[in-house]
Amino acid sequence: MDQTLFEDLVQSLKEAKAISRGEMAASRRIRIDTPDVKAVREQIGLSQSEFAQLMHVSIKTLQNWEQHRRTPTGPAAALLKIVTTAPDVALKTLHA
């Protein structure tokens, strides 16, 4: 491994450790606000089982999201944002 690349990697790990301890602020943070899952599901007119199938999650996971016991993260949060913004496009694409 190139020495410069290795030093960059070590520096990145040190920064990550400092950020996780609260000693340093992250240079950037990506945050996706998740919409109300139940409202999204009702907006597009699907049952819990249909919507869970569309999202590729279990019904229990969907129920936990709807009852705010859990929060969708990552790709699920992004997909919910897309369904909220352009439900017709999302449904057409996901059903294809």
Side-chain angles (χ1 to χ4, degrees):
M1 177 184 278
D2 180 23
Q3 186 62 31
T4 306
L5 181 61
F6 178 76
E7 290 170 4
D8 287 347
L9 182 59
V10 170
Q11 181 62 34
S12 294
L13 290 171
K14 288 179 182 178
E15 290 175 11
K17 188 175 182 180
I19 291 168
S20 70
R21 289 182 172 169
E23 299 167 357
M24 181 179 179
S27 61
R28 63 182 165 185
R29 189 170 291 225
I30 297 173
R31 184 174 163 222
I32 297 175
D33 294 323
T34 54
D36 181 12
V37 178
K38 185 175 182 179
V40 172
R41 179 180 60 79
E42 290 175 343
Q43 172 191 348
I44 60 176
L46 296 178
S47 68
Q48 282 186 338
S49 62
E50 292 169 332
F51 195 62
Q53 191 173 19
L54 178 78
M55 295 291 296
H56 294 276
V57 298
S58 71
I59 292 176
K60 290 289 186 188
T61 297
L62 179 66
Q63 289 170 344
N64 284 332
W65 291 346
E66 287 189 358
Q67 295 171 12
H68 305 286
R69 290 190 296 252
R70 299 259 184 216
T71 304
T73 59
L79 182 55
L80 280 168
K81 183 80 168 174
I82 293 167
V83 172
T84 302
T85 307
D88 52 334
V89 174
L91 290 172
K92 182 179 177 183
T93 304
L94 293 169
H95 282 294

